[in-house]
Amino acid sequence: MSKFRIELTDNYTEWYEQASHHSSFTVFSDPDFLSVIPEEKVYGYIKKRDEKMAYFSITLKGGICKRSGFVIHNGIILSDSVFQLKLEKRNFDEFRINETFVNFLEENFKSIDLALHPYIRDIRPYLWLNYHSPDEKNKCRIYVRYTSYLKIGDLRRKNEFETIVFKGLSKGRKCNVREGRKKGVMTVIEPDVDLFLRFYEKMMANQGIKIENSSLELLGKIISNLVLKDKARIFVSYYKKKPIYATVWGWDKHRSYYLYGAGDPDIDLGFKGTICCWDAILWLAKEKKIDVVDFEGVNSPQRGSFKLSFGGELLNYYWIKKGI
């Protein structure tokens, strides 16, 4: 039986150049995203002989595997060569890759905190870790989460209202877009993160959530660094020359991600979030030639309903935790 093994690396540039080409890579494993996060970073490969079958990135806090709250996906990035194998061989290799990875985490950190990419389907190695132990604390806890993938390539056609994407919107979203156009809402790319952060803090306060200054500062650093590296943009919608909503969208070589969104809670315009997202998606399709956006989570009733009303495909992914 061929051996799979872990190889760590501190050459983040080389790791990124290799890992980022594979379809289960996300911006949340990009060293440009992770570089401003205070947690320790661990990057590595999973090899079969000398072939790199998978890549991984995790963060450590206090010596344990702990995912930062701003990191949506972490852990395994499968080589696309695995997806191209015959089904029986693919199932075997994918299982062994994840088995090698979870054993590495168990032996070195005694904790697991992962949010796998939707393309990682076989989680049996995590379910079977310490399978016969009578103590449930020795086993992984698995949580099913959801996101939405929306295909947007059709928006590169001239008339937005004739596109497949627009026709796939819910009735309410279509009305929101048309109302935004009728009222002359303008959405621009904002170079400064401060406006978004003010909206974000105000929105959270309106929901009874106090955001620590350190968390707000870290969020600003993440966004600013991605914008600086040409891996994100801040979109702000204006109505009657007043900003009403802001969204932040990042991207990698495979798709774009709805990272963050916030509006002015004192401005009661039902279309404001929709038109800001719609204009951002139009720009991503036309200017960046992006074909798919990931709405990054449909896991609460209000946000889930809003994001799914754009007509995307519902995908599930797995949160895996042990020892925390």
Side-chain angles (χ1 to χ4, degrees):
M1 182 179 293
S2 298
K3 297 291 186 181
F4 288 73
R5 59 186 176 86
I6 298 285
E7 181 180 298
L8 301 180
T9 182
D10 56 7
N11 188 335
Y12 304 153
T13 301
E14 181 181 76
W15 182 92
Y16 169 77
E17 287 302 321
Q18 296 178 22
S20 62
H21 292 284
H22 300 284
S23 58
S24 54
F25 179 88
T26 72
V27 70
F28 305 104
S29 289
D30 191 326
D32 286 332
F33 185 100
L34 293 176
S35 63
V36 300
I37 292 175
E39 286 84 355
E40 181 184 350
K41 295 85 181 174
V42 178
Y43 294 90
Y45 308 98
I46 300 177
K47 289 186 171 182
K48 180 181 179 182
R49 301 186 183 92
D50 291 327
E51 182 180 359
K52 292 170 181 171
M53 303 295 289
Y55 309 77
F56 64 86
S57 69
I58 59 171
T59 53
L60 307 180
K61 188 172 184 178
I64 68 171
C65 175
K66 184 72 172 67
R67 182 169 54 93
S68 167
F70 291 109
V71 174
I72 304 299
H73 296 297
N74 66 334
I76 289 287
I77 301 157
L78 282 179
S79 167
D80 283 345
S81 64
V82 176
F83 295 121
Q84 296 163 5
L85 296 170
K86 291 183 180 179
L87 186 57
E88 182 274 335
K89 183 61 174 170
R90 171 186 166 177
N91 289 339
F92 175 83
D93 279 1
E94 185 173 351
F95 179 90
R96 292 295 308 283
I97 288 166
N98 281 283
E99 180 184 53
T100 301
F101 183 53
V102 74
N103 287 338
F104 164 76
L105 295 178
E106 172 77 355
E107 292 167 6
N108 289 276
F109 307 113
K110 303 303 179 185
S111 69
I112 294 173
D113 187 5
L114 305 174
L116 301 178
H117 189 276
Y119 292 172
I120 310 299
R121 309 309 305 152
D122 189 353
I123 62 166
R124 290 175 299 160
Y126 307 95
L127 288 168
W128 294 351
L129 184 68
N130 300 320
Y131 186 82
H132 295 292
S133 173
D135 190 346
E136 292 298 316
K137 293 181 180 178
N138 293 329
K139 301 177 183 180
C140 292
R141 308 186 307 278
I142 311 294
Y143 305 91
V144 181
R145 308 294 284 176
Y146 292 90
T147 190
S148 173
Y149 274 23
L150 177 66
K151 295 179 180 179
I152 64 169
D154 186 56
L155 287 172
R156 286 190 279 276
R157 293 170 55 179
K158 291 183 179 180
N159 187 342
E160 61 184 326
F161 298 127
E162 295 300 319
T163 61
I164 296 171
V165 188
F166 183 80
K167 292 176 182 179
L169 299 177
S170 70
K171 183 178 179 180
R173 295 294 150 246
K174 289 176 183 175
C175 290
N176 287 161
V177 173
R178 292 188 185 277
E179 185 177 6
R181 291 286 179 262
K182 184 177 180 180
K183 291 184 179 296
V185 172
M186 296 294 295
T187 302
V188 301
I189 293 175
E190 173 61 52
D192 192 345
V193 72
D194 289 343
L195 174 62
F196 170 78
L197 293 178
R198 290 197 299 271
F199 275 3
Y200 187 81
E201 185 177 26
K202 191 175 181 180
M203 179 186 71
M204 289 299 184
N206 195 58
Q207 297 174 8
I209 301 172
K210 170 63 176 176
I211 301 296
E212 297 294 332
N213 289 336
S214 58
S215 295
L216 202 63
E217 182 180 351
L218 177 57
L219 178 58
K221 287 181 179 179
I222 292 171
I223 297 170
S224 296
N225 198 51
L226 288 176
V227 170
L228 179 66
K229 301 294 186 177
D230 192 27
K231 295 178 180 178
R233 291 289 187 277
I234 306 164
F235 297 87
V236 179
S237 293
Y238 286 81
Y239 176 58
K240 295 182 178 179
K241 298 184 179 181
K242 187 170 184 177
I244 57 175
Y245 209 90
T247 55
V248 182
W249 297 76
W251 57 79
D252 54 31
K253 294 175 174 139
H254 311 286
R255 61 194 73 85
S256 181
Y257 305 86
Y258 180 18
L259 296 178
Y260 316 107
D264 188 337
D266 296 331
I267 297 178
D268 186 18
L269 292 172
F271 60 80
K272 62 184 181 181
T274 302
I275 196 65
C276 192
C277 286
W278 180 253
D279 283 340
I281 290 169
L282 278 170
W283 186 89
L284 291 165
K286 292 180 177 181
E287 301 300 324
K288 299 301 292 185
K289 303 297 186 289
I290 287 170
D291 291 321
V292 177
V293 295
D294 181 351
F295 274 94
E296 277 314 330
V298 291
N299 294 303
S300 63
Q302 185 173 355
R303 292 186 182 91
S305 177
F306 173 76
K307 292 177 179 179
L308 281 173
S309 66
F310 282 83
E313 177 187 5
L314 186 66
L315 298 175
N316 73 278
Y317 62 94
Y318 299 103
W319 275 7
I320 301 172
K321 294 181 180 292
K322 175 186 171 291
I324 53 175

